[in-house]
Amino acid sequence: MADYFKLLGLPPRAALDEAALQQAYLEATKTAHPDQAGGDAALSAELNAALEALRSPVTRLKHLVDTRSGLGWRAIPLEAGLMSLFEKLGPLLQQTNAFLTRKQAATSALAKALLASEEMRLREALEGLNELIEQEWQRLEVLLPECDERLATGDDAAWKDVQAMQAKFAYLTKWRAQIRERLLGLML
């Protein structure tokens, strides 16, 4: 597996500044781009993959753990805060799915109008839950520099915490997508 941090000349860190990442990518692609004289299509593709992997905390932390920690895959249980979000999400997704089935079956204007208040309630509930997910995402992002500090001191337990944080980001990413999908379904 390629080391994307090394490829872009960036320090291997859990927290990366988006502007620094973009600048490193642009510098690296100046000579590698296939349209440039002496450009290398394979290297250019790898640089693109590096940018995509390091841009998101989910894939950045996974790459960091995979290339630096020596830890293998392990199941990460949900902590209480995330479990609370999940316990709200599951039933809300089921309710939305059932509603979307009824909405699709409604053919008359009257039948559709009778569903409007439930649709609004579901939309508000989904948007509210999405806000809670965003707050949790932001809370985790604030912790990334602390992870870097712990890793820099050689704290071996920090790697397991980084791995757990990556799993949390992955859960939140999936839940965001599920909410976005249902909200789009409600718009149609």
Side-chain angles (χ1 to χ4, degrees), residues 52-185:
E52 288 306 310
L54 299 181
R55 182 177 277 160
S56 166
V58 177
T59 51
R60 180 174 58 245
L61 293 176
K62 182 175 183 338
H63 182 72
L64 185 64
V65 169
D66 289 349
T67 59
R68 298 278 186 310
S69 74
L71 293 176
W73 183 90
R74 67 184 180 106
I76 308 292
L78 286 176
E79 65 183 23
L82 287 181
M83 182 56 83
S84 174
L85 288 174
F86 181 69
E87 287 172 348
K88 293 174 186 171
L89 178 67
L92 185 55
L93 293 178
Q94 289 177 346
Q95 291 168 14
T96 305
N97 289 343
F99 172 81
L100 290 172
T101 300
R102 288 193 319 276
K103 182 180 176 182
Q104 191 174 33
T107 55
S108 71
L110 178 60
K112 291 177 183 180
L114 291 173
L115 295 174
S117 64
E118 184 179 359
E119 181 173 4
M120 183 58 74
R121 184 190 59 76
L122 288 169
R123 182 183 312 279
E124 289 173 357
L126 287 166
E127 289 170 351
L129 188 55
N130 196 50
E131 284 181 35
L132 294 175
I133 289 170
E134 290 304 316
Q135 289 170 5
E136 182 63 19
W137 184 280
Q138 290 171 4
R139 185 189 71 80
L140 291 174
E141 279 188 326
V142 168
L143 298 175
L144 291 176
E146 179 184 314
C147 289
D148 288 330
E149 290 173 16
R150 290 181 56 211
L151 291 172
T153 64
D155 181 356
D156 290 336
W159 283 112
K160 288 185 179 181
D161 292 342
V162 169
Q163 191 177 37
M165 189 170 290
Q166 186 276 329
K168 293 172 190 177
F169 274 117
Y171 285 127
L172 294 173
T173 298
K174 181 177 180 175
W175 298 344
R176 280 170 151 176
Q178 290 173 323
I179 288 173
R180 187 173 37 249
E181 179 184 322
R182 294 327 184 282
L183 285 169
L184 287 172

